[in-house]
Amino acid sequence: MKNAINWFEIPVKDYDRAKQFYTTVMDSKITDHHMPEQDVKYGMFPYDNDNNGVGGGLIASADSKPTTDGPTIYLNGGEDLSIALDKVENSGGKIIMPKTNIGENGFMAQFIDTEGNRIALHSWM
């Protein structure tokens, strides 16, 4: 097994708002893959499918319930997670743990997104 996680989904209430938030904070394109027959709006983060890279997306459906409880998803904060973290509050989110040094494991931070999810960032710098 290369990775413990191979896919994740972040539940959202307002797909367009969440897509804008994550596009801005992560400086990344989210590609729509909606499933209208199931009344699901879905967007995928970029990932390296050719090399079994970990991927994930945003999902808005009747069963999608954002929460601050449950598992913590750590998104790649890039070279320095301060860059992404600096965009969180201006994009409608709330920082709940500032950039924190975790020793030999790099740095982490946590925020609440526009939908009410607790999400973390990780970087080596």
Side-chain angles (χ1 to χ4, degrees):
M1 174 172 36
K2 181 178 178 181
N3 299 302
I5 295 174
N6 64 1
W7 197 261
F8 63 87
E9 293 179 337
I10 299 173
V12 303
K13 296 176 199 171
D14 183 323
Y15 176 80
D16 293 325
R17 176 179 63 200
K19 181 179 176 181
Q20 179 61 48
F21 177 82
Y22 282 99
T23 297
T24 300
V25 170
M26 302 304 297
D27 193 25
S28 180
K29 182 179 180 184
I30 294 174
T31 305
D32 293 339
H33 287 280
H34 301 317
M35 297 169 261
E37 62 280 357
Q38 286 125 0
D39 196 25
V40 172
K41 290 187 176 180
Y42 201 89
M44 291 173 31
F45 290 94
Y47 71 102
D48 186 356
N49 190 38
D50 294 336
N51 294 302
N52 253 356
V54 175
L58 304 175
I59 184 168
S61 71
D63 296 330
S64 300
K65 295 179 177 51
T67 183
T68 58
D69 301 324
T72 303
I73 297 170
Y74 283 79
L75 299 177
N76 185 341
E79 289 287 319
D80 179 350
L81 67 80
S82 294
I83 296 168
L85 196 61
D86 287 345
K87 299 174 187 174
V88 168
E89 292 187 342
N90 287 337
S91 298
K94 179 182 178 188
I95 297 169
I96 59 172
M97 177 191 292
K99 182 177 178 179
T100 302
N101 186 329
I102 52 175
E104 66 184 33
N105 295 309
F107 295 86
M108 63 177 282
Q110 292 188 8
F111 61 87
I112 305 294
D113 70 7
T114 56
E115 308 308 296
N117 293 299
R118 177 177 47 88
I119 302 290
L121 296 171
H122 174 267
S123 72
W124 293 103
M125 298 176 70

